[in-house]
Short mmCIF file of all heavy atoms in Angstrom, two decimals:
data_model
loop_
_atom_site.label_atom_id
_atom_site.label_comp_id
_atom_site.label_asym_id
_atom_site.label_seq_id
_atom_site.Cartn_x
_atom_site.Cartn_y
_atom_site.Cartn_z
N ALA A 26 -50.85 -9.69 -11.27
CA ALA A 26 -49.58 -10.24 -10.92
C ALA A 26 -48.57 -9.19 -10.64
O ALA A 26 -48.68 -8.04 -11.18
CB ALA A 26 -49.06 -11.17 -12.05
N LYS A 27 -47.58 -9.47 -9.80
CA LYS A 27 -46.55 -8.50 -9.46
C LYS A 27 -45.14 -9.13 -9.64
O LYS A 27 -44.95 -10.33 -9.36
CB LYS A 27 -46.66 -8.03 -8.02
CG LYS A 27 -47.97 -7.28 -7.77
CD LYS A 27 -47.85 -5.81 -7.98
CE LYS A 27 -49.10 -5.08 -7.57
NZ LYS A 27 -49.42 -4.00 -8.48
N PHE A 28 -44.25 -8.30 -10.17
CA PHE A 28 -42.89 -8.72 -10.36
C PHE A 28 -41.98 -7.63 -9.82
O PHE A 28 -42.36 -6.46 -9.83
CB PHE A 28 -42.62 -8.97 -11.85
CG PHE A 28 -43.46 -10.05 -12.48
CD1 PHE A 28 -44.78 -9.79 -12.88
CD2 PHE A 28 -42.96 -11.34 -12.58
CE1 PHE A 28 -45.58 -10.79 -13.37
CE2 PHE A 28 -43.77 -12.36 -13.08
CZ PHE A 28 -45.07 -12.09 -13.48
N THR A 29 -40.79 -7.98 -9.40
CA THR A 29 -39.89 -6.98 -8.87
C THR A 29 -38.45 -7.28 -9.11
O THR A 29 -38.05 -8.49 -9.31
CB THR A 29 -40.11 -6.83 -7.28
OG1 THR A 29 -39.25 -5.91 -6.75
CG2 THR A 29 -39.83 -8.18 -6.59
N TYR A 30 -37.64 -6.28 -9.21
CA TYR A 30 -36.18 -6.45 -9.20
C TYR A 30 -35.57 -5.21 -8.56
O TYR A 30 -36.25 -4.22 -8.37
CB TYR A 30 -35.61 -6.66 -10.59
CG TYR A 30 -35.41 -5.45 -11.47
CD1 TYR A 30 -34.16 -4.88 -11.54
CD2 TYR A 30 -36.46 -4.85 -12.14
CE1 TYR A 30 -33.95 -3.72 -12.29
CE2 TYR A 30 -36.27 -3.71 -12.92
CZ TYR A 30 -35.00 -3.15 -13.01
OH TYR A 30 -34.83 -2.01 -13.74
N VAL A 31 -34.29 -5.34 -8.25
CA VAL A 31 -33.57 -4.16 -7.64
C VAL A 31 -32.59 -3.60 -8.66
O VAL A 31 -31.84 -4.32 -9.29
CB VAL A 31 -32.76 -4.64 -6.41
CG1 VAL A 31 -31.93 -3.49 -5.87
CG2 VAL A 31 -33.68 -5.19 -5.35
N ASP A 32 -32.67 -2.32 -8.81
CA ASP A 32 -31.67 -1.60 -9.70
C ASP A 32 -30.37 -1.47 -8.89
O ASP A 32 -30.28 -0.54 -8.06
CB ASP A 32 -32.26 -0.27 -10.18
CG ASP A 32 -31.30 0.42 -11.11
OD1 ASP A 32 -30.15 -0.01 -11.23
OD2 ASP A 32 -31.77 1.41 -11.77
N LYS A 33 -29.48 -2.30 -9.17
CA LYS A 33 -28.22 -2.24 -8.36
C LYS A 33 -27.36 -1.04 -8.68
O LYS A 33 -26.42 -0.73 -7.93
CB LYS A 33 -27.42 -3.54 -8.60
CG LYS A 33 -28.07 -4.78 -8.05
CD LYS A 33 -27.07 -5.92 -7.93
CE LYS A 33 -27.78 -7.17 -7.35
NZ LYS A 33 -26.74 -8.18 -6.93
N ASP A 34 -27.60 -0.40 -9.78
CA ASP A 34 -26.84 0.83 -10.10
C ASP A 34 -27.14 1.97 -9.14
O ASP A 34 -26.36 2.89 -8.95
CB ASP A 34 -27.17 1.29 -11.52
CG ASP A 34 -26.58 0.32 -12.55
OD1 ASP A 34 -25.64 -0.41 -12.20
OD2 ASP A 34 -27.08 0.31 -13.72
N THR A 35 -28.33 1.89 -8.56
CA THR A 35 -28.77 3.00 -7.65
C THR A 35 -28.89 2.55 -6.19
O THR A 35 -28.89 3.41 -5.29
CB THR A 35 -30.08 3.68 -8.08
OG1 THR A 35 -31.09 2.62 -8.12
CG2 THR A 35 -29.94 4.30 -9.46
N CYS A 36 -28.91 1.25 -5.93
CA CYS A 36 -28.98 0.76 -4.54
C CYS A 36 -27.69 1.18 -3.83
O CYS A 36 -26.59 1.08 -4.35
CB CYS A 36 -29.03 -0.80 -4.58
SG CYS A 36 -28.89 -1.57 -2.94
N ILE A 37 -27.90 1.69 -2.65
CA ILE A 37 -26.76 2.12 -1.79
C ILE A 37 -26.55 1.19 -0.60
O ILE A 37 -25.88 1.48 0.37
CB ILE A 37 -26.97 3.57 -1.28
CG1 ILE A 37 -28.28 3.67 -0.44
CG2 ILE A 37 -26.94 4.54 -2.42
CD1 ILE A 37 -28.46 5.01 0.29
N ALA A 38 -27.07 -0.04 -0.71
CA ALA A 38 -26.88 -1.06 0.31
C ALA A 38 -27.32 -0.61 1.64
O ALA A 38 -26.66 -0.88 2.68
CB ALA A 38 -25.41 -1.52 0.36
N CYS A 39 -28.47 0.11 1.70
CA CYS A 39 -28.92 0.64 2.97
C CYS A 39 -29.46 -0.48 3.92
O CYS A 39 -29.47 -0.33 5.12
CB CYS A 39 -29.95 1.72 2.78
SG CYS A 39 -31.63 1.10 2.54
N GLY A 40 -29.90 -1.55 3.27
CA GLY A 40 -30.36 -2.70 4.09
C GLY A 40 -31.77 -2.70 4.50
O GLY A 40 -32.20 -3.65 5.23
N ALA A 41 -32.56 -1.74 4.10
CA ALA A 41 -33.95 -1.69 4.53
C ALA A 41 -34.81 -2.78 3.92
O ALA A 41 -35.65 -3.34 4.62
CB ALA A 41 -34.51 -0.30 4.23
N CYS A 42 -34.63 -3.04 2.67
CA CYS A 42 -35.58 -3.92 1.98
C CYS A 42 -35.49 -5.36 2.49
O CYS A 42 -36.52 -6.00 2.65
CB CYS A 42 -35.39 -3.89 0.48
SG CYS A 42 -33.67 -4.28 -0.06
N GLY A 43 -34.30 -5.84 2.80
CA GLY A 43 -34.16 -7.17 3.28
C GLY A 43 -34.73 -7.34 4.69
O GLY A 43 -35.17 -8.43 5.07
N ALA A 44 -34.71 -6.27 5.42
CA ALA A 44 -35.32 -6.29 6.76
C ALA A 44 -36.80 -6.28 6.68
O ALA A 44 -37.52 -6.90 7.46
CB ALA A 44 -34.81 -5.08 7.60
N THR A 45 -37.34 -5.50 5.73
CA THR A 45 -38.77 -5.34 5.54
C THR A 45 -39.40 -6.56 4.88
O THR A 45 -40.49 -7.01 5.24
CB THR A 45 -39.08 -4.09 4.70
OG1 THR A 45 -38.44 -3.01 5.35
CG2 THR A 45 -40.54 -3.86 4.56
N ALA A 46 -38.71 -7.11 3.87
CA ALA A 46 -39.28 -8.19 3.06
C ALA A 46 -38.24 -9.27 2.89
O ALA A 46 -37.75 -9.48 1.73
CB ALA A 46 -39.77 -7.61 1.74
N PRO A 47 -37.89 -9.96 3.96
CA PRO A 47 -36.81 -10.97 3.86
C PRO A 47 -37.11 -12.14 2.93
O PRO A 47 -36.18 -12.83 2.52
CB PRO A 47 -36.63 -11.38 5.32
CG PRO A 47 -37.96 -11.11 5.96
CD PRO A 47 -38.46 -9.86 5.30
N ASP A 48 -38.36 -12.37 2.67
CA ASP A 48 -38.70 -13.46 1.73
C ASP A 48 -38.43 -13.10 0.28
O ASP A 48 -38.36 -13.95 -0.60
CB ASP A 48 -40.16 -13.88 1.87
CG ASP A 48 -40.46 -14.48 3.26
OD1 ASP A 48 -39.55 -15.10 3.82
OD2 ASP A 48 -41.61 -14.29 3.72
N ILE A 49 -38.35 -11.81 0.06
CA ILE A 49 -38.19 -11.34 -1.37
C ILE A 49 -36.77 -10.89 -1.63
O ILE A 49 -36.21 -11.19 -2.70
CB ILE A 49 -39.12 -10.18 -1.64
CG1 ILE A 49 -40.57 -10.59 -1.33
CG2 ILE A 49 -38.98 -9.76 -3.10
CD1 ILE A 49 -41.59 -9.43 -1.48
N TYR A 50 -36.13 -10.08 -0.67
CA TYR A 50 -34.87 -9.50 -0.94
C TYR A 50 -33.76 -10.01 -0.02
O TYR A 50 -34.01 -10.22 1.19
CB TYR A 50 -34.94 -7.94 -0.80
CG TYR A 50 -36.04 -7.35 -1.66
CD1 TYR A 50 -37.24 -7.00 -1.10
CD2 TYR A 50 -35.85 -7.22 -3.03
CE1 TYR A 50 -38.29 -6.45 -1.87
CE2 TYR A 50 -36.88 -6.66 -3.82
CZ TYR A 50 -38.05 -6.29 -3.21
OH TYR A 50 -39.09 -5.76 -4.00
N ASP A 51 -32.58 -10.18 -0.61
CA ASP A 51 -31.41 -10.50 0.18
C ASP A 51 -30.26 -9.64 -0.45
O ASP A 51 -30.52 -8.85 -1.31
CB ASP A 51 -31.13 -12.01 0.14
CG ASP A 51 -30.27 -12.48 1.31
OD1 ASP A 51 -29.70 -11.61 2.02
OD2 ASP A 51 -30.10 -13.70 1.49
N TYR A 52 -29.07 -9.90 0.01
CA TYR A 52 -27.95 -9.01 -0.39
C TYR A 52 -26.81 -9.85 -1.04
O TYR A 52 -26.54 -10.99 -0.65
CB TYR A 52 -27.39 -8.24 0.79
CG TYR A 52 -28.54 -7.52 1.50
CD1 TYR A 52 -28.95 -7.97 2.72
CD2 TYR A 52 -29.09 -6.36 0.95
CE1 TYR A 52 -30.04 -7.34 3.36
CE2 TYR A 52 -30.14 -5.74 1.57
CZ TYR A 52 -30.63 -6.22 2.80
OH TYR A 52 -31.61 -5.58 3.43
N ASP A 53 -26.17 -9.22 -2.00
CA ASP A 53 -25.01 -9.90 -2.60
C ASP A 53 -23.74 -9.62 -1.76
O ASP A 53 -23.76 -9.01 -0.70
CB ASP A 53 -24.83 -9.48 -4.08
CG ASP A 53 -24.46 -8.02 -4.23
OD1 ASP A 53 -24.03 -7.36 -3.24
OD2 ASP A 53 -24.59 -7.49 -5.35
N ASP A 54 -22.58 -10.03 -2.26
CA ASP A 54 -21.34 -9.91 -1.49
C ASP A 54 -20.99 -8.45 -1.17
O ASP A 54 -20.29 -8.20 -0.23
CB ASP A 54 -20.19 -10.54 -2.25
CG ASP A 54 -20.32 -12.07 -2.41
OD1 ASP A 54 -21.15 -12.60 -1.62
OD2 ASP A 54 -19.63 -12.64 -3.22
N GLU A 55 -21.49 -7.55 -1.97
CA GLU A 55 -21.22 -6.15 -1.77
C GLU A 55 -22.30 -5.42 -0.95
O GLU A 55 -22.26 -4.23 -0.73
CB GLU A 55 -21.10 -5.44 -3.13
CG GLU A 55 -19.95 -5.92 -3.94
CD GLU A 55 -19.84 -5.29 -5.34
OE1 GLU A 55 -20.86 -4.74 -5.75
OE2 GLU A 55 -18.81 -5.37 -5.95
N GLY A 56 -23.29 -6.21 -0.49
CA GLY A 56 -24.37 -5.64 0.28
C GLY A 56 -25.47 -5.04 -0.54
O GLY A 56 -26.43 -4.46 0.01
N LEU A 57 -25.36 -5.16 -1.84
CA LEU A 57 -26.41 -4.65 -2.70
C LEU A 57 -27.57 -5.61 -2.72
O LEU A 57 -27.38 -6.84 -2.70
CB LEU A 57 -25.90 -4.44 -4.15
CG LEU A 57 -24.73 -3.43 -4.26
CD1 LEU A 57 -24.24 -3.40 -5.69
CD2 LEU A 57 -25.15 -2.05 -3.80
N ALA A 58 -28.78 -5.08 -2.74
CA ALA A 58 -29.95 -5.93 -2.66
C ALA A 58 -30.24 -6.63 -3.98
O ALA A 58 -29.84 -6.13 -5.04
CB ALA A 58 -31.17 -5.08 -2.26
N GLU A 59 -30.88 -7.75 -3.87
CA GLU A 59 -31.32 -8.50 -5.07
C GLU A 59 -32.56 -9.35 -4.71
O GLU A 59 -32.74 -9.70 -3.56
CB GLU A 59 -30.20 -9.37 -5.59
CG GLU A 59 -29.62 -10.37 -4.62
CD GLU A 59 -28.33 -11.02 -5.09
OE1 GLU A 59 -27.77 -10.53 -6.12
OE2 GLU A 59 -27.92 -11.98 -4.41
N VAL A 60 -33.29 -9.66 -5.75
CA VAL A 60 -34.50 -10.51 -5.52
C VAL A 60 -34.07 -11.98 -5.47
O VAL A 60 -33.47 -12.51 -6.40
CB VAL A 60 -35.51 -10.29 -6.65
CG1 VAL A 60 -36.68 -11.27 -6.50
CG2 VAL A 60 -35.98 -8.85 -6.64
N ILE A 61 -34.42 -12.59 -4.34
CA ILE A 61 -34.07 -14.01 -4.18
C ILE A 61 -35.30 -14.88 -4.18
O ILE A 61 -35.17 -16.13 -4.27
CB ILE A 61 -33.26 -14.23 -2.85
CG1 ILE A 61 -33.98 -13.58 -1.67
CG2 ILE A 61 -31.87 -13.67 -2.99
CD1 ILE A 61 -34.68 -14.54 -0.73
N PHE A 62 -36.48 -14.26 -4.18
CA PHE A 62 -37.72 -15.09 -4.10
C PHE A 62 -37.78 -16.06 -5.30
O PHE A 62 -37.58 -15.66 -6.44
CB PHE A 62 -38.96 -14.20 -4.06
CG PHE A 62 -40.22 -15.02 -3.96
CD1 PHE A 62 -40.63 -15.50 -2.76
CD2 PHE A 62 -40.92 -15.39 -5.09
CE1 PHE A 62 -41.74 -16.32 -2.65
CE2 PHE A 62 -42.08 -16.16 -4.98
CZ PHE A 62 -42.48 -16.64 -3.76
N GLY A 63 -38.04 -17.33 -5.01
CA GLY A 63 -38.23 -18.28 -6.04
C GLY A 63 -37.00 -18.53 -6.91
O GLY A 63 -37.10 -18.99 -8.03
N GLY A 64 -35.82 -18.16 -6.36
CA GLY A 64 -34.61 -18.29 -7.17
C GLY A 64 -34.56 -17.34 -8.34
O GLY A 64 -33.96 -17.61 -9.38
N ASP A 65 -35.18 -16.20 -8.16
CA ASP A 65 -35.35 -15.24 -9.28
C ASP A 65 -33.99 -14.74 -9.79
O ASP A 65 -33.87 -14.41 -11.00
CB ASP A 65 -36.18 -14.03 -8.85
CG ASP A 65 -36.41 -13.11 -9.98
OD1 ASP A 65 -37.15 -13.48 -10.91
OD2 ASP A 65 -35.88 -11.97 -9.98
N GLY A 66 -32.98 -14.60 -8.91
CA GLY A 66 -31.67 -14.13 -9.34
C GLY A 66 -31.74 -12.65 -9.80
O GLY A 66 -30.91 -12.23 -10.62
N ASN A 67 -32.70 -11.89 -9.25
CA ASN A 67 -32.83 -10.46 -9.59
C ASN A 67 -33.15 -10.21 -11.06
O ASN A 67 -32.80 -9.19 -11.60
CB ASN A 67 -31.60 -9.69 -9.14
CG ASN A 67 -31.95 -8.20 -8.91
OD1 ASN A 67 -32.99 -7.89 -8.32
ND2 ASN A 67 -31.11 -7.30 -9.42
N HIS A 68 -33.79 -11.17 -11.73
CA HIS A 68 -34.21 -10.95 -13.11
C HIS A 68 -35.57 -10.31 -13.20
O HIS A 68 -35.93 -9.77 -14.22
CB HIS A 68 -34.25 -12.28 -13.86
CG HIS A 68 -32.89 -12.92 -14.01
ND1 HIS A 68 -31.86 -12.31 -14.76
CD2 HIS A 68 -32.34 -14.03 -13.45
CE1 HIS A 68 -30.80 -13.08 -14.72
NE2 HIS A 68 -31.00 -14.09 -13.91
N GLY A 69 -36.33 -10.34 -12.10
CA GLY A 69 -37.65 -9.74 -12.19
C GLY A 69 -38.65 -10.55 -12.97
O GLY A 69 -39.65 -10.02 -13.47
N ASN A 70 -38.42 -11.84 -13.03
CA ASN A 70 -39.30 -12.68 -13.88
C ASN A 70 -40.12 -13.67 -13.04
O ASN A 70 -40.84 -14.46 -13.60
CB ASN A 70 -38.47 -13.43 -14.89
CG ASN A 70 -37.80 -12.54 -15.90
OD1 ASN A 70 -38.31 -11.46 -16.14
ND2 ASN A 70 -36.69 -12.97 -16.47
N THR A 71 -39.98 -13.60 -11.74
CA THR A 71 -40.71 -14.51 -10.84
C THR A 71 -41.91 -13.82 -10.22
O THR A 71 -41.78 -12.79 -9.61
CB THR A 71 -39.81 -15.01 -9.74
OG1 THR A 71 -38.62 -15.56 -10.26
CG2 THR A 71 -40.47 -16.07 -8.84
N GLU A 72 -43.09 -14.40 -10.43
CA GLU A 72 -44.30 -13.81 -9.89
C GLU A 72 -44.29 -13.84 -8.39
O GLU A 72 -44.03 -14.89 -7.76
CB GLU A 72 -45.54 -14.55 -10.40
CG GLU A 72 -46.80 -13.82 -10.07
CD GLU A 72 -48.05 -14.40 -10.81
OE1 GLU A 72 -47.84 -15.17 -11.78
OE2 GLU A 72 -49.15 -14.15 -10.33
N ILE A 73 -44.55 -12.69 -7.77
CA ILE A 73 -44.61 -12.58 -6.33
C ILE A 73 -46.03 -12.85 -5.87
O ILE A 73 -46.98 -12.27 -6.37
CB ILE A 73 -44.20 -11.14 -5.86
CG1 ILE A 73 -42.83 -10.79 -6.38
CG2 ILE A 73 -44.23 -11.02 -4.31
CD1 ILE A 73 -41.68 -11.65 -5.95
N PRO A 74 -46.17 -13.80 -4.92
CA PRO A 74 -47.54 -14.16 -4.46
C PRO A 74 -48.23 -13.04 -3.69
O PRO A 74 -47.56 -12.20 -3.09
CB PRO A 74 -47.34 -15.40 -3.63
CG PRO A 74 -45.88 -15.31 -3.12
CD PRO A 74 -45.16 -14.56 -4.23
N GLU A 75 -49.54 -13.07 -3.75
CA GLU A 75 -50.33 -11.98 -3.10
C GLU A 75 -50.03 -11.80 -1.62
O GLU A 75 -50.08 -10.69 -1.12
CB GLU A 75 -51.84 -12.30 -3.25
CG GLU A 75 -52.48 -11.48 -4.37
CD GLU A 75 -53.96 -11.74 -4.44
OE1 GLU A 75 -54.70 -11.25 -3.58
OE2 GLU A 75 -54.36 -12.45 -5.37
N GLU A 76 -49.73 -12.91 -0.91
CA GLU A 76 -49.46 -12.73 0.52
C GLU A 76 -48.22 -11.92 0.83
O GLU A 76 -48.00 -11.49 1.93
CB GLU A 76 -49.43 -14.08 1.21
CG GLU A 76 -48.38 -15.06 0.69
CD GLU A 76 -48.94 -16.07 -0.36
OE1 GLU A 76 -49.91 -15.70 -1.07
OE2 GLU A 76 -48.41 -17.17 -0.39
N LEU A 77 -47.40 -11.66 -0.22
CA LEU A 77 -46.21 -10.87 -0.02
C LEU A 77 -46.37 -9.47 -0.62
O LEU A 77 -45.40 -8.65 -0.58
CB LEU A 77 -45.01 -11.53 -0.68
CG LEU A 77 -44.51 -12.87 0.01
CD1 LEU A 77 -43.37 -13.47 -0.77
CD2 LEU A 77 -44.12 -12.60 1.44
N TYR A 78 -47.57 -9.08 -1.08
CA TYR A 78 -47.75 -7.77 -1.68
C TYR A 78 -47.50 -6.65 -0.66
O TYR A 78 -46.94 -5.60 -1.05
CB TYR A 78 -49.17 -7.62 -2.22
CG TYR A 78 -49.35 -8.29 -3.60
CD1 TYR A 78 -48.40 -9.08 -4.16
CD2 TYR A 78 -50.55 -8.05 -4.30
CE1 TYR A 78 -48.61 -9.70 -5.42
CE2 TYR A 78 -50.74 -8.63 -5.53
CZ TYR A 78 -49.82 -9.44 -6.09
OH TYR A 78 -50.02 -10.03 -7.32
N ASP A 79 -47.89 -6.86 0.61
CA ASP A 79 -47.69 -5.83 1.60
C ASP A 79 -46.19 -5.61 1.87
O ASP A 79 -45.74 -4.44 1.95
CB ASP A 79 -48.38 -6.16 2.92
CG ASP A 79 -49.88 -5.96 2.84
OD1 ASP A 79 -50.37 -5.35 1.90
OD2 ASP A 79 -50.55 -6.42 3.81
N ASP A 80 -45.46 -6.69 1.93
CA ASP A 80 -44.02 -6.61 2.14
C ASP A 80 -43.37 -5.90 0.95
O ASP A 80 -42.48 -5.08 1.06
CB ASP A 80 -43.37 -7.98 2.29
CG ASP A 80 -43.58 -8.57 3.66
OD1 ASP A 80 -44.25 -7.91 4.48
OD2 ASP A 80 -43.10 -9.70 3.90
N LEU A 81 -43.88 -6.29 -0.24
CA LEU A 81 -43.35 -5.67 -1.47
C LEU A 81 -43.54 -4.14 -1.50
O LEU A 81 -42.58 -3.40 -1.77
CB LEU A 81 -44.08 -6.29 -2.64
CG LEU A 81 -43.64 -6.02 -4.10
CD1 LEU A 81 -42.26 -6.60 -4.33
CD2 LEU A 81 -44.63 -6.65 -5.05
N GLN A 82 -44.72 -3.71 -1.17
CA GLN A 82 -45.02 -2.27 -1.12
C GLN A 82 -44.23 -1.58 -0.04
O GLN A 82 -43.69 -0.49 -0.29
CB GLN A 82 -46.51 -2.08 -0.93
CG GLN A 82 -46.96 -0.65 -1.22
CD GLN A 82 -46.65 -0.21 -2.66
OE1 GLN A 82 -46.99 -0.90 -3.60
NE2 GLN A 82 -45.96 0.94 -2.80
N ASP A 83 -44.17 -2.18 1.15
CA ASP A 83 -43.41 -1.56 2.25
C ASP A 83 -41.97 -1.40 1.91
O ASP A 83 -41.34 -0.39 2.16
CB ASP A 83 -43.57 -2.42 3.55
CG ASP A 83 -44.95 -2.30 4.14
OD1 ASP A 83 -45.71 -1.46 3.72
OD2 ASP A 83 -45.21 -3.14 5.03
N ALA A 84 -41.35 -2.43 1.27
CA ALA A 84 -39.95 -2.37 0.86
C ALA A 84 -39.76 -1.26 -0.16
O ALA A 84 -38.79 -0.47 -0.08
CB ALA A 84 -39.50 -3.71 0.32
N SER A 85 -40.67 -1.15 -1.13
CA SER A 85 -40.54 -0.13 -2.16
C SER A 85 -40.67 1.22 -1.55
O SER A 85 -39.90 2.13 -1.84
CB SER A 85 -41.66 -0.37 -3.21
OG SER A 85 -41.72 0.68 -4.10
N ASP A 86 -41.67 1.39 -0.66
CA ASP A 86 -41.85 2.71 0.02
C ASP A 86 -40.66 3.06 0.86
O ASP A 86 -40.35 4.30 1.02
CB ASP A 86 -43.13 2.64 0.86
CG ASP A 86 -44.40 2.57 0.14
OD1 ASP A 86 -44.39 2.80 -1.10
OD2 ASP A 86 -45.41 2.27 0.72
N GLY A 87 -40.00 2.07 1.44
CA GLY A 87 -38.92 2.33 2.37
C GLY A 87 -37.54 2.54 1.77
O GLY A 87 -36.61 2.91 2.40
N CYS A 88 -37.42 2.25 0.46
CA CYS A 88 -36.11 2.37 -0.17
C CYS A 88 -35.78 3.81 -0.44
O CYS A 88 -36.51 4.53 -1.13
CB CYS A 88 -36.08 1.59 -1.49
SG CYS A 88 -34.47 1.81 -2.30
N PRO A 89 -34.69 4.30 0.14
CA PRO A 89 -34.37 5.79 0.03
C PRO A 89 -33.93 6.20 -1.36
O PRO A 89 -33.91 7.37 -1.68
CB PRO A 89 -33.22 5.95 1.02
CG PRO A 89 -32.59 4.59 1.10
CD PRO A 89 -33.67 3.62 0.96
N THR A 90 -33.62 5.24 -2.20
CA THR A 90 -33.16 5.60 -3.57
C THR A 90 -34.07 5.12 -4.70
O THR A 90 -33.71 5.11 -5.87
CB THR A 90 -31.72 5.00 -3.84
OG1 THR A 90 -31.77 3.59 -3.68
CG2 THR A 90 -30.72 5.58 -2.81
N ASP A 91 -35.26 4.68 -4.30
CA ASP A 91 -36.22 4.17 -5.29
C ASP A 91 -35.63 3.09 -6.20
O ASP A 91 -35.93 3.04 -7.39
CB ASP A 91 -36.78 5.31 -6.19
CG ASP A 91 -37.78 6.17 -5.39
OD1 ASP A 91 -38.48 5.62 -4.54
OD2 ASP A 91 -37.82 7.38 -5.70
N SER A 92 -34.80 2.22 -5.60
CA SER A 92 -34.16 1.20 -6.38
C SER A 92 -34.98 -0.03 -6.57
O SER A 92 -34.65 -0.95 -7.40
CB SER A 92 -32.85 0.79 -5.71
OG SER A 92 -31.99 1.94 -5.66
N ILE A 93 -36.09 -0.14 -5.81
CA ILE A 93 -36.93 -1.37 -5.92
C ILE A 93 -38.03 -1.13 -6.96
O ILE A 93 -38.85 -0.25 -6.80
CB ILE A 93 -37.56 -1.68 -4.53
CG1 ILE A 93 -36.43 -2.09 -3.59
CG2 ILE A 93 -38.64 -2.74 -4.69
CD1 ILE A 93 -36.89 -2.49 -2.23
N LYS A 94 -37.90 -1.87 -8.03
CA LYS A 94 -38.79 -1.71 -9.18
C LYS A 94 -39.87 -2.74 -9.09
O LYS A 94 -39.65 -3.95 -8.78
CB LYS A 94 -38.04 -1.86 -10.46
CG LYS A 94 -36.79 -0.98 -10.59
CD LYS A 94 -37.11 0.47 -10.36
CE LYS A 94 -35.86 1.35 -10.49
NZ LYS A 94 -36.14 2.74 -10.16
N ILE A 95 -41.14 -2.31 -9.32
CA ILE A 95 -42.30 -3.22 -9.28
C ILE A 95 -43.10 -3.03 -10.57
O ILE A 95 -43.30 -1.88 -11.03
CB ILE A 95 -43.18 -2.94 -8.06
CG1 ILE A 95 -42.40 -3.15 -6.81
CG2 ILE A 95 -44.42 -3.84 -8.06
CD1 ILE A 95 -43.13 -2.72 -5.52
N ALA A 96 -43.54 -4.13 -11.18
CA ALA A 96 -44.42 -4.01 -12.33
C ALA A 96 -45.40 -5.17 -12.36
O ALA A 96 -45.27 -6.15 -11.61
CB ALA A 96 -43.57 -4.09 -13.62
N ASP A 97 -46.40 -5.02 -13.19
CA ASP A 97 -47.48 -6.03 -13.33
C ASP A 97 -47.06 -7.18 -14.32
O ASP A 97 -47.86 -8.15 -14.44
CB ASP A 97 -48.76 -5.41 -13.83
CG ASP A 97 -49.26 -4.40 -12.82
OD1 ASP A 97 -48.93 -4.54 -11.58
OD2 ASP A 97 -49.99 -3.48 -13.21
N ALA A 98 -45.97 -7.00 -14.98
CA ALA A 98 -45.53 -8.04 -15.93
C ALA A 98 -44.05 -8.29 -15.69
O ALA A 98 -43.37 -7.49 -15.10
CB ALA A 98 -45.72 -7.54 -17.34
N PRO A 99 -43.53 -9.43 -16.16
CA PRO A 99 -42.15 -9.74 -15.95
C PRO A 99 -41.22 -8.72 -16.65
O PRO A 99 -41.60 -8.14 -17.64
CB PRO A 99 -41.96 -11.11 -16.67
CG PRO A 99 -43.31 -11.67 -16.72
CD PRO A 99 -44.27 -10.49 -16.82
N PHE A 100 -40.07 -8.48 -16.04
CA PHE A 100 -39.17 -7.51 -16.55
C PHE A 100 -38.35 -8.06 -17.74
O PHE A 100 -37.99 -7.28 -18.66
CB PHE A 100 -38.21 -6.98 -15.48
CG PHE A 100 -38.90 -6.06 -14.56
CD1 PHE A 100 -39.44 -6.49 -13.33
CD2 PHE A 100 -38.98 -4.69 -14.85
CE1 PHE A 100 -40.08 -5.61 -12.43
CE2 PHE A 100 -39.64 -3.82 -13.95
CZ PHE A 100 -40.16 -4.29 -12.73
N ASN A 101 -38.11 -9.34 -17.74
CA ASN A 101 -37.45 -9.99 -18.85
C ASN A 101 -36.15 -9.35 -19.32
O ASN A 101 -35.95 -8.94 -20.47
CB ASN A 101 -38.39 -10.03 -20.09
CG ASN A 101 -39.47 -11.10 -19.93
OD1 ASN A 101 -39.18 -12.22 -19.51
ND2 ASN A 101 -40.69 -10.74 -20.32
N PHE A 102 -35.25 -9.17 -18.36
CA PHE A 102 -33.92 -8.71 -18.82
C PHE A 102 -32.84 -9.59 -18.17
O PHE A 102 -33.17 -10.43 -17.36
CB PHE A 102 -33.70 -7.26 -18.41
CG PHE A 102 -33.49 -7.03 -16.96
CD1 PHE A 102 -32.19 -6.87 -16.44
CD2 PHE A 102 -34.60 -6.94 -16.10
CE1 PHE A 102 -32.04 -6.64 -15.07
CE2 PHE A 102 -34.42 -6.73 -14.73
CZ PHE A 102 -33.12 -6.60 -14.22
FE1 F3S B 222 -30.76 -0.99 -1.69
FE2 F3S B 222 -33.01 0.29 -1.39
FE3 F3S B 222 -32.73 -2.12 -0.47
S1 F3S B 222 -30.98 1.20 -1.28
S2 F3S B 222 -30.57 -2.27 0.10
S3 F3S B 222 -32.68 -1.51 -2.60
S4 F3S B 222 -33.87 -0.50 0.52
#
């Protein structure tokens, strides 16, 4: 299983992740990215389905500040 959230403390609102993986990431009022998949609310507790794993990896690889966090278990914060 895969889970993801965006570290908004380091996100610089570059906009790459939402373009790469629009089903997973969107932006808040300040342009900072957040996880919207499944109504996650950027908590990192919503399992990302396998068909989105490529998007997930591409978004992570493309983030210039390594703000996209991915783990095999829920982040629970
Ligand atoms: Fe922010 Fe990285 Fe996305 S800087 S907008 S989390 S690609």
Side-chain angles (χ1 to χ4, degrees):
K27 297 272 185 217
F28 299 82
T29 181
Y30 82 98
V31 176
D32 184 346
K33 292 196 179 196
D34 290 338
T35 58
C36 172
I37 56 170
C39 84
C42 56
T45 303
D48 293 329
I49 305 173
Y50 306 101
D51 202 350
Y52 308 104
D53 67 16
D54 292 344
E55 297 177 342
L57 300 176
E59 56 191 12
V60 175
I61 50 106
F62 181 81
D65 184 70
N67 204 44
H68 293 295
N70 295 334
T71 305
E72 189 170 343
I73 304 300
E75 258 184 74
E76 58 263 32
L77 292 178
Y78 280 9
D79 284 350
D80 282 1
L81 189 63
Q82 191 61 51
D83 288 348
S85 172
D86 290 346
C88 178
T90 59
D91 286 329
S92 299
I93 294 182
K94 309 303 180 186
I95 300 173
D97 297 334
F100 286 94
N101 284 318
F102 72 97

